[in-house]
Amino acid sequence: MGAVIAVWGVLTAVFVLLNISGNPAVLLLPVGAPASEVAHLSQSLGYNDPLIVQYLLFLGRTLTGHFPNSLEYGTPALGVVFGHVGATLELVASALVLAVIGGMVSGYVGAFGRYGWLRTAAVASAVVMQSIPVFILGVFLVLVFSLRWSILPASGDAGIQALILPAVTLSGPVYAPIARIFRTTLLEVAEEPHVRTAVAKGISLRSVRWRHVMGNALLPVITVVGLQAGTLLGGTVIVETVFAWPGIGQLAILAVNSRDYPVILADTLVISLGFVVANFAVDILYMFLDPRVRQRV
Amino acid sequence: MAGEWAGLVGAGIVVVACVLAIFAAQIARQSPDSQHLLQVLQGPSAQHPLGTDEVGRDVLSRVIYGSRIPLGVGSAAVVLGGAIGVALGMISGYVGRWVDAVLGRVADIQLSIPAIILAVAFLALRGGGLLSLVVVLAATGWPTYYRVVRSHVISARTGNFVTALSVIAASHWRIMFRHLIPDALPLVVVTATLDFSRAVLLEAGLSYLGLGVQPPTPDWGLMVASGQTQLAGAWWISVFPGIALVLLLLGINLFGDWLADRVGRRTRSGVLQ
């Protein structure tokens, strides 16, 4: 239900964007199109109708997959965007895996690290990573790994090597909140009575931490992943531009530069829907992992 | 978490950045715009401590002046977004019923569109400029204030002091503006600090993409972007404004964390995420 309302909200937002600068027909035609053509398109697409009629028409057309054509490619804009979804999914999935693994390792070390300096270093790494914008992280990584040491390519989509730098970059801002929440929750759970009981039974400290503490500290991590899905999807716009990665994020900026408005809007739609789907998936995952939520449903 | 000193260091960094922004004209030794075509792409030296860029402008001066846009736009966005979010959160929590339901949905929808793509689409269709930038940052920032204030008002509304105020026939306006808003102020300040960090980050990202402020205005995000093509030969054009931006964000975040601890909220969980 929440997801349905979110989809409706996203569609409405795109409609508002489409109408934000007056006549949408002007946006859907190449720059400098003759007035007669603008008038003709307005007529045929119903842009002279009252706004509410236009709104309903827009909803109907979009939901049935009809979206204006791209000015650059001349094909339906949604199709152009979908052609780039694969590359973005590859990047986002890799970044997510890196962020979750890195964040959990850092959170664990920050909570239970053997030495004080190690714990401090883990905590500090999260605070610092949180303060580095993705494009700066990207530029710094290119400077070190591509230009100084020339071990990784700075752009393109040729194979796994080209994926490493963009994925690490995109994972940066998501790594930090995962590390922080995992550390805090680990420390909280470690204080709980069931953990004390397990220790009292004589189970080794390591085994208690892995079995009894970690399991209970996983749920907040999933919550954070859901909350950060927007950072991850939105981050593709910047990261793909830094590394010329051919996904929907770079497509959005290329479309902005070539004033391909239908593609910009279709891209906005797809990224936002991706975010809605991600949150929906997190809710489902929650249901599988948390017996309490399962029972309530 | 990291203790008192971290908050102090954070506050110090922010104060230094503000001083740089306000007194840029007095502090910078050279104009940020004067081009010297005989001194292009020079590395750090005594005359140009952070080097010069592709048209021979002094990078240090541009870094100093470059603090103005992130701080100015960020503050304006926080004030605008905060005012909207606090007002709507107050109404939503106090009135309840369908008003709350509708406003809550609007906030949900706002949060279901990643801020950056909304900003990119808005700026592309509407045109850039400082005002558009502030509007889009505020529009993507208000729901956090809304949620914080709303949940605070809902729990305070049934509290003793509000009941007491009703008993002495205080008007709704008086209860809301004289009592509930001051009561929620510490939470609002914590939220504003975190939102400031978000606004600065987003402004820098948009300017990097070429959708925020336009050249030749000195701006850190823009400088990183323009130096990127020269990265192999003249790394200093991108790296120094990048470091400045990271330091500012680090300062805001350290101060924000310290503040959040002080206000006694569990750090960065729930609505403050």
Side-chain angles (χ1 to χ4, degrees):
Chain A
M1 186 60 199
V4 174
I5 290 178
V7 170
W8 169 73
V10 167
L11 287 171
T12 306
V14 170
F15 177 77
V16 170
L17 284 172
L18 182 64
N19 284 280
I20 207 163
S21 48
N23 188 353
V26 177
L27 298 182
L28 302 181
L29 287 167
V31 180
S36 61
E37 209 175 321
V38 173
H40 178 72
L41 189 74
S42 302
Q43 190 63 42
S44 65
L45 289 177
Y47 290 143
N48 296 331
D49 296 340
L51 215 54
I52 180 75
V53 177
Q54 286 188 43
Y55 177 59
L56 294 175
L57 269 175
F58 170 82
L59 284 186
R61 284 193 191 130
T62 309
L63 287 175
T64 51
H66 294 77
F67 209 79
N69 279 354
S70 158
L71 304 179
E72 179 94 359
Y73 305 92
T75 52
L78 271 177
V80 173
V81 175
F82 279 126
H84 290 75
V85 161
T88 296
L89 279 181
E90 198 183 333
L91 177 60
V92 167
S94 321
L96 184 61
V97 170
L98 284 177
V100 169
I101 294 176
M104 286 176 64
V105 169
S106 164
Y108 188 87
V109 172
F112 300 135
R114 185 166 297 178
Y115 311 105
W117 62 265
L118 200 59
R119 295 194 293 272
T120 311
V123 172
S125 79
V127 177
V128 171
M129 282 307 278
Q130 187 177 23
S131 308
I132 304 185
V134 275
F135 65 93
I136 292 181
L137 184 58
V139 167
F140 283 8
L141 289 176
V142 164
L143 193 57
V144 175
F145 290 96
S146 305
L147 298 174
R148 260 306 119 81
W149 296 343
S150 345
I151 47 177
L152 289 168
S155 66
D157 62 336
I160 188 91
Q161 282 193 320
L163 179 62
I164 296 175
L165 287 186
V168 170
T169 305
L170 187 58
S171 74
V174 184
Y175 155 86
I178 292 179
R180 296 179 65 145
I181 199 77
F182 196 54
R183 173 178 168 276
T184 326
T185 329
L186 281 175
L187 290 174
E188 270 172 24
V189 176
E191 298 291 313
E192 280 180 17
H194 77 270
V195 174
R196 205 182 320 138
T197 310
V199 175
K201 282 198 313 192
I203 303 174
S204 77
L205 201 57
R206 166 166 303 205
S207 167
V208 170
R209 282 174 182 168
W210 279 81
R211 280 245 193 105
H212 301 266
V213 178
M214 290 255 272
N216 283 302
L218 280 181
L219 285 177
V221 170
I222 292 166
T223 310
V224 169
V225 168
L227 287 168
Q228 295 295 324
T231 313
L232 213 49
L233 285 168
T236 60
V237 176
I238 293 178
V239 174
E240 289 179 1
T241 303
V242 175
F243 292 98
W245 184 260
I248 54 176
Q250 192 203 17
L251 181 67
I253 300 305
L254 293 177
V256 167
N257 293 336
S258 60
R259 299 181 179 279
D260 194 346
Y261 296 108
V263 169
I264 300 174
L265 293 172
D267 210 309
T268 310
L269 190 64
V270 170
I271 291 186
S272 307
L273 292 183
F275 187 36
V276 173
V277 170
N279 275 311
F280 188 65
V282 165
D283 285 348
I284 301 283
L285 197 61
Y286 236 94
M287 213 153 70
F288 274 105
L289 293 177
D290 190 343
R292 288 168 302 186
V293 180
R294 203 161 44 213
Q295 255 166 16
R296 232 180 296 147
V297 179
Chain B
M1 182 187 60
E4 298 286 313
W5 65 268
L8 207 62
V9 169
I13 294 174
V14 176
V15 168
V16 167
C18 291
V19 169
L20 285 183
I22 296 168
F23 299 106
Q26 284 75 38
I27 295 169
R29 285 190 301 169
Q30 282 143 48
S31 153
D33 299 319
S34 65
Q35 307 182 357
H36 299 282
L37 294 176
L38 292 176
Q39 303 177 356
V40 298
L41 302 175
Q42 287 186 349
S45 64
Q47 200 197 348
H48 301 287
L50 304 185
T52 61
D53 68 6
E54 66 279 6
V55 288
R57 291 174 299 198
D58 182 45
V59 173
L60 176 61
S61 304
R62 290 183 68 75
V63 167
I64 293 171
Y65 274 92
S67 58
R68 288 185 162 174
I69 300 286
L71 288 172
V73 169
S75 323
V78 164
V79 170
L80 184 60
I84 296 170
V86 170
L88 293 182
M90 179 62 59
I91 293 168
S92 202
Y94 196 81
V95 179
R97 297 193 300 272
W98 65 270
V99 177
D100 182 34
V102 169
L103 288 175
R105 279 299 171 208
V106 174
D108 286 350
I109 288 168
Q110 179 72 63
L111 288 174
S112 68
I113 305 175
I116 187 144
I117 188 69
L118 186 68
V120 165
F122 180 85
L123 293 173
L125 291 161
R126 190 73 240 212
L130 289 180
L131 185 64
S132 300
L133 212 48
V134 170
V135 167
V136 82
L137 292 176
T140 50
W142 72 270
T144 326
Y145 299 91
Y146 167 83
R147 288 189 171 179
V148 169
V149 171
R150 174 185 171 275
S151 64
H152 181 78
V153 169
I154 285 176
S155 65
R157 194 180 49 183
T158 51
N160 285 336
F161 80 97
V162 177
T163 316
L165 283 165
S166 323
V167 168
I168 62 164
S171 71
H172 290 313
W173 289 111
R174 182 171 157 195
I175 295 177
M176 282 197 272
F177 287 97
R178 293 281 302 279
H179 299 278
L180 286 175
I181 285 190
D183 193 38
L185 207 56
L187 285 179
V188 173
V189 172
V190 171
T191 311
T193 317
L194 300 179
D195 187 45
F196 186 48
S197 154
R198 184 200 65 91
V200 169
L201 190 67
L202 193 53
E203 184 279 324
L206 291 169
S207 295
Y208 171 82
L209 291 172
L211 287 161
V213 291
Q214 297 303 317
T217 314
D219 174 89
W220 293 340
L222 203 56
M223 289 170 76
V224 173
S226 71
Q228 210 183 334
T229 49
Q230 311 283 345
L231 211 52
W235 52 269
W236 51 88
I237 305 174
S238 283
V239 168
F240 290 119
I243 290 174
L245 191 53
V246 171
L247 279 177
L248 175 61
L249 287 166
L250 193 63
I252 302 170
N253 287 337
L254 286 176
F255 179 66
D257 285 346
W258 172 81
L259 208 60
D261 277 353
R262 280 285 303 242
V263 173
R265 300 213 25 120
R266 301 237 313 261
T267 36
R268 295 275 166 122
S269 63
V271 283
L272 289 184
Q273 185 59 52

